[in-house]
Amino acid sequence: MLLGTQRVNEEGHLEIGGCDAVALAREFGTPLYVMDEALIRANCRAYKRAFAERYPNNEVSYAGKAFLCTAMCALLEEEGMCLDVASAGELHTALRAGFPPERLFLHGNNKSRLELEMAISAGVHRIIVDNEYELEMLIALAERAGRPVDVLFRITPGIDPHTHERIRTGQVDTKFGLEVQNGQAARVIERAVAHPFLRVRGTHFHVGSQLLDLEAHRQAIEIGVDLLAQFRDDIGYIAEEMNIGGGLGIRYLSHHEPPSISEYADMVIGTLKACLQAHNLPAPKLQQEPGRSIVGEAGTTLYTVGAVKEIPGVRTYVTVDGGLSDNPRPALYDARYEVLLANKANRPAERLVTVAGKHCETDTLFPDVTVPDPAPGDLLAVQSTGAYNYAMASNYNRFPHPAVVLVHDGQAEVIVERQTLDDLVSKDVLPRRFARPR
Ligand code: LLP
């Protein structure tokens, strides 16, 4: 499986964005996250085009939680995308990058006062209210600021998408949002609609992530439109906007076949139009927040192979110079990935091995993968690491965060520098009583 601009070059090396992976590793070190700019841009454009053709009254936000840094914000701005941020840190990143606040959406199921204040003073486009506690705080802040805020309400449609349990969010048993089925959503929204310091623009839901079929989204859109009809009928409120979150899956393994962006758009718009017509509702603005399907396949992690341990008759371990700290997804979600040896990319992958990291625990990264005969010094490339890898990296064992490099037309530019060992101690504080000459 080769993704985006990946290809095997004349030297038999993996190439991404016109850059030889072996040369990238030599120049920037490993572990290294490599991001394929052309693929990120192509995905942004595919979303924008697919929805503009079918339903012009729409906005596409990128979900920053998947991967965010200031260069990513600049790229998104160039592509005319909106951006969804879910913390003070993500919001600060966007504002520091000069991203237009009128294209920002603020999320979070337990937003702090600081986060709400930052959002109000920056003038973000929409705040997606999760619960009544947040609503009270927001009203108080809006009154103090003396101007109304534009909000959407997060609802839980009560459906169960088929994906890993830790990335399901649309079901009844979830910490997120206002419940539809027990009437909570209608009650809270009814009250908010009447409030002078709130402009209730509509509803939001997000049912889950890495969805490889369209069923959950289809059901959620039906429930979401039913709810809009209920608001109109019960309280005379007509929502102007409906936000359907993100969730479209990507190819981690070659047999994964996620719907294409245009198949997804066909289903979303087909379902939406049919439901609106059935209820005789005016068409709201459609908003969405894909994350993984914009950046996931655009990321490749490069590691240097170290020790190769063969346990005859049992297993061969290939160890690499990263692990749990740069990719916690195998441990958290049993995530599987495709790997290849970037310096031996044209040789047949005949050896069954298990790739392990270098943390002080059993951090199996990629069990039972096949590679050409592995040796210390080889360069292991892991595909589809663009989403939720750098974003979820930790400093476990005091490993520095790897650098992120953006590749494009044979050029490679660092967009996040590798942390240094001194960065790791830069926030440590030594109480005076421990001080002695060192
Ligand atoms: N909107 C909201 C409100 C979300 O909570 C999410 C993801 C998205 C949009 C973007 O979803 P996407 O298009 O990326 O599926 N760390 C997990 C994924 C957690 C997703 C959380 N919310 C993982 O590594 O699989």
Side-chain angles (χ1 to χ4, degrees):
M1 168 173 97
L2 290 173
L3 299 166
T5 64
Q6 289 181 336
R7 68 174 198 116
V8 177
N9 67 17
E10 296 64 35
E11 289 177 80
H13 295 173
L14 176 67
E15 194 179 280
I16 314 165
C19 297
D20 185 313
V22 176
L24 290 174
R26 204 175 299 129
E27 183 173 354
F28 301 105
T30 58
L32 184 69
Y33 299 113
V34 181
M35 300 296 285
D36 180 348
E37 179 176 341
L39 183 54
I40 301 175
R41 288 187 188 274
N43 289 335
C44 293
R45 287 171 199 180
Y47 265 105
K48 292 202 70 159
R49 189 176 340 105
F51 283 86
E53 279 168 358
R54 293 164 177 83
Y55 196 92
N57 187 18
N58 86 94
E59 270 166 346
V60 186
S61 286
Y62 163 72
K65 65 202 73 165
F67 170 74
L68 201 67
C69 62
T70 49
M72 183 67 194
C73 293
L75 184 157
L76 293 165
E77 187 187 355
E78 281 185 15
E79 292 299 329
M81 299 282 284
C82 297
L83 172 60
D84 131 25
V85 292
S87 68
E90 290 179 2
L91 176 55
H92 183 68
T93 304
L95 296 175
R96 261 299 171 83
F99 194 87
E102 65 278 9
R103 281 199 246 155
L104 288 173
F105 291 68
L106 178 71
H107 270 287
N109 71 299
N110 186 21
K111 298 179 192 71
S112 65
R113 172 180 290 269
L114 170 76
E115 286 165 334
L116 292 173
E117 280 170 350
M118 279 174 74
I120 291 173
S121 82
V124 305
H125 185 50
R126 299 289 178 261
I127 295 177
I128 293 93
V129 176
D130 183 276
N131 56 66
E132 292 184 83
Y133 169 68
E134 175 189 336
L135 186 62
E136 297 310 323
M137 196 159 39
L138 185 61
I139 288 173
L141 293 172
E143 283 173 350
R144 214 178 59 193
R147 62 189 147 97
V149 284
D150 293 290
V151 298
L152 303 176
F153 279 93
R154 177 152 182 171
I155 57 165
T156 47
I159 49 162
D160 191 358
H162 300 285
T163 190
H164 192 281
E165 62 174 323
R166 265 176 244 143
I167 50 178
R168 274 188 301 209
T169 47
Q171 70 282 10
V172 169
D173 184 359
T174 174
K175 69 174 181 176
F176 291 106
L178 301 168
E179 213 208 307
V180 172
Q181 285 168 5
N182 69 7
Q184 185 193 31
R187 179 173 53 74
V188 173
I189 294 173
E190 182 171 358
R191 200 161 58 84
V193 164
H195 199 286
F197 278 88
L198 296 173
R199 281 196 291 253
V200 182
R201 299 292 189 175
T203 55
H204 170 282
F205 57 79
H206 170 76
V207 288
S209 201
Q210 182 53 13
L211 302 181
L212 291 173
D213 68 59
L214 298 171
E215 192 45 32
H217 281 112
R218 197 183 56 71
Q219 284 180 28
I221 292 168
E222 286 172 2
I223 293 173
V225 177
D226 285 350
L227 189 69
L228 299 191
Q230 188 189 322
F231 292 151
R232 177 200 53 197
D233 298 344
D234 294 353
I235 52 174
Y237 168 67
I238 303 211
E240 300 154 50
E241 296 172 9
M242 176 163 154
N243 190 319
I244 60 169
L248 183 61
I250 61 164
R251 279 171 296 182
Y252 283 101
L253 301 174
S254 46
H255 69 263
H256 285 162
E257 284 175 358
S260 68
I261 291 169
S262 65
E263 285 165 344
Y264 177 65
D266 273 342
M267 182 285 296
V268 169
I269 301 307
T271 309
L272 180 61
K273 284 184 173 165
C275 294
L276 291 170
Q277 200 179 5
H279 286 292
N280 197 21
L281 268 175
K285 175 179 272 189
L286 176 71
Q287 295 156 335
Q288 57 177 320
E289 306 162 334
R292 192 188 314 261
S293 51
I294 302 271
V295 288
E297 292 182 11
T300 307
T301 304
L302 301 178
Y303 298 105
T304 302
V305 171
V308 178
K309 173 180 175 179
E310 197 169 338
I311 313 172
V314 179
R315 187 184 292 279
T316 298
Y317 282 101
V318 171
T319 52
V320 294
D321 54 354
L324 195 54
S325 56
D326 62 76
N327 186 356
R329 300 193 69 261
L332 275 173
Y333 315 116
D334 305 309
R336 295 294 187 106
Y337 289 84
E338 294 253 322
V339 308
L340 58 134
L341 289 186
N343 57 322
K344 299 176 177 170
N346 58 1
R347 298 206 207 152
E350 289 168 344
R351 287 286 301 280
L352 182 68
V353 303
T354 284
V355 178
K358 61 177 275 173
H359 287 278
C360 298
E361 62 177 277
T362 304
D363 61 337
T364 297
L365 283 172
F366 316 115
D368 301 326
V369 291
T370 51
V371 288
D373 210 17
D378 279 343
L379 190 65
L380 187 93
V382 186
Q383 291 175 308
S384 299
T385 62
Y388 306 110
N389 274 233
Y390 166 75
M392 294 176 77
S394 76
N395 289 127
Y396 181 39
N397 285 147
R398 293 226 146 179
F399 281 27
H401 289 334
V404 185
V405 161
L406 190 66
V407 291
H408 175 62
D409 276 349
Q411 269 200 327
E413 289 150 304
V414 174
I415 56 170
V416 183
E417 283 181 12
R418 184 179 302 282
Q419 281 184 330
T420 63
L421 295 177
D422 276 339
D423 287 337
L424 294 172
V425 289
S426 66
K427 298 292 180 199
D428 290 6
V429 178
L430 194 65
R432 278 177 68 107
R433 64 199 174 84
F434 293 129
R436 61 179 167 82
R438 277 165 212 272

